[in-house]
Amino acid sequence: MFLPKYPDSPTPPPAHTHAPTDPAPVRRGLPSLPVDQKTVATVLVAGVVLTALLAAVAVTAISLAVAAVVVRSLLRDQYRR
């Protein structure tokens, strides 16, 4: 009674079949960049500076968190008295 009605032909054949006529395109790599000692030194110095800045921010954040905990503890003790 509630059986689905299937079409006579399950799927029609595709209207367009893809047949490549050209060979695969040649992939070209990126152009080579000249790397000399100045470039390497600049990249190393920039990496050291950025790492130092990140470490300074991390140390500052940790010290502020510790100071906030200490001040909170002191204020809580003062209000209890």
Side-chain angles (χ1 to χ4, degrees), residues 14-80:
H16 175 72
T17 57
H18 180 69
T21 56
D22 296 334
V26 177
R27 298 188 81 185
R28 296 184 182 165
L30 295 175
S32 62
L33 296 174
V35 178
D36 56 350
Q37 290 180 351
K38 280 178 131 179
T39 306
V40 173
T42 304
V43 169
L44 287 176
V45 168
V48 168
V49 168
L50 290 175
T51 304
L53 287 173
L54 182 63
V57 168
V59 168
T60 303
I62 291 170
S63 64
L64 282 175
V66 170
V69 169
V70 170
V71 168
R72 182 179 171 193
S73 174
L74 289 173
L75 289 176
R76 188 177 65 198
D77 288 341
Q78 184 179 9
Y79 286 125
R80 282 188 182 176

Side-chain angles (χ1 to χ4, degrees), residues 5-13:
K5 293 183 179 180
Y6 296 109
D8 293 335
S9 129
T11 55

